Every structure is written in C-alpha cells, then in structure tokens.
Amino acid sequence: MRTEAEAAGPPLEPGDFVQLPVPVIQQLYHWDCGLACSRMVLRYLGQLDDSEFERALQKLQLTRSIWTIDLAYLMHHFGVRHRFCTQTLGVDKGYKNQSFYRKHFDTEETRVNQLFAQAKACKVLVEKCRNVQHQHQ
C-alpha cells in the first residue's frame, strides 16, 4: 500500500506547477468573486449541487457582503479540508473607506470579527500568517 506522499509523486520543485481541471464558473455580479471561486472548487471536488450550495448560503447567512472568512466557513460546511491564512485576524480597517464596504462597514465589522472569534470553536482553521498576498477589486 502506498502512502499519501508516495501516491502524490515526487515533491514539487520551485517553478514546478500542477494544472488541475478546475471548471470555470463565471461570476453573476461584481461582488461575488469569492462565491464563484468556491463553486469552482466544489465542482472540481465533485461536491457542487446548486440547491445544496444555495441552502448553505442561506444557513450561513451569506448575502452580498462576502468576506474571506465567510468562504472559510463555507468550505468547512462542505467538508473541504483547507487552511485560511490571513495577515489580520479580524476585519482589516483599511477597507472602511473603500466604496464597496463603506455603507455597511460597522455592522459587517462586528459580524466578521465574531466569525474570526468563533472559528476555532467551529473547527474552521484560521491562521495568522506573514507575507500573505491578497488583492481585492
């Protein structure tokens, strides 16, 4: 019997890459890039049932304001092993003045910070990591 490491083949070297047949799912709105990416991951893993995905969004109360921590809870809901690495364990105050966040920032800040605070108890793996690169459009 082969170990998981043996089954995966030789370790990757810097510059190596693995191309996976992840299906492309287009965003429906300007704000749902994270949900589209989540759908792609779940479809690749063979776990995407559109009605189940919609039920998960309702259960997790995910609407138009989706933060990365929301996506971590979504992946956890579907049993996807993952690790969410972030520079800020909570809301990044730098988003407060961005037009997309400005209107509901204060209420969202409370909600998002609660998700971070409850992550360990909910078995959602969140780690503060240095040098995490992210962009938000």
Side-chain angles (χ1 to χ4, degrees), residues 34 52 93:
E52 174 62 23
K93 299 268 191 190

Side-chain angles (χ1 to χ4, degrees), residues 15-17 21 35 45 48 64 92 97:
D16 287 350
F17 69 93
L35 293 179
L45 296 173
L48 184 62
R64 287 189 57 171
D92 182 340
N97 294 320

Side-chain angles (χ1 to χ4, degrees), residues 67 69 86 88-96 101 105-114 116:
W67 294 68
I69 187 71
T86 180
T88 308
L89 292 174
V91 169
D92 182 340
K93 299 268 191 190
Y95 290 128
K96 186 171 187 159
Y101 295 100
F105 187 86
D106 293 332
T107 54
E108 283 297 286
E109 181 178 26
T110 300
R111 182 186 74 80
V112 170
N113 284 337
Q114 285 177 339
F116 274 97

Side-chain angles (χ1 to χ4, degrees), residues 1-10:
M1 181 171 201
R2 296 176 67 186
T3 67
E4 206 173 296
E6 291 170 332

Side-chain angles (χ1 to χ4, degrees), residues 33-34 37 66-69 71 83-96 98 101 105 112 116 127-137:
C33 54
C37 291
I66 307 294
W67 294 68
T68 312
I69 187 71
L71 302 177
R83 179 177 65 161
F84 171 32
C85 296
T86 180
Q87 291 182 4
T88 308
L89 292 174
V91 169
D92 182 340
K93 299 268 191 190
Y95 290 128
K96 186 171 187 159
Q98 291 186 15
Y101 295 100
F105 187 86
V112 170
F116 274 97
E127 292 181 25
K128 185 171 183 174
C129 303
R130 294 179 57 191
N131 299 324
V132 175
Q133 297 292 322
H134 70 281
Q135 295 178 340
H136 198 281
Q137 316 235 341

Side-chain angles (χ1 to χ4, degrees), residues 39-65:
R39 284 180 186 263
M40 288 187 277
V41 167
L42 292 169
R43 181 150 308 147
Y44 169 75
L45 296 173
Q47 297 185 33
L48 184 62
D49 171 271
D50 286 331
S51 60
E52 174 62 23
F53 191 80
E54 293 302 321
R55 283 193 298 275
L57 296 181
Q58 289 175 358
K59 179 181 178 184
L60 297 171
Q61 299 178 1
L62 301 182
T63 57
R64 287 189 57 171
S65 183

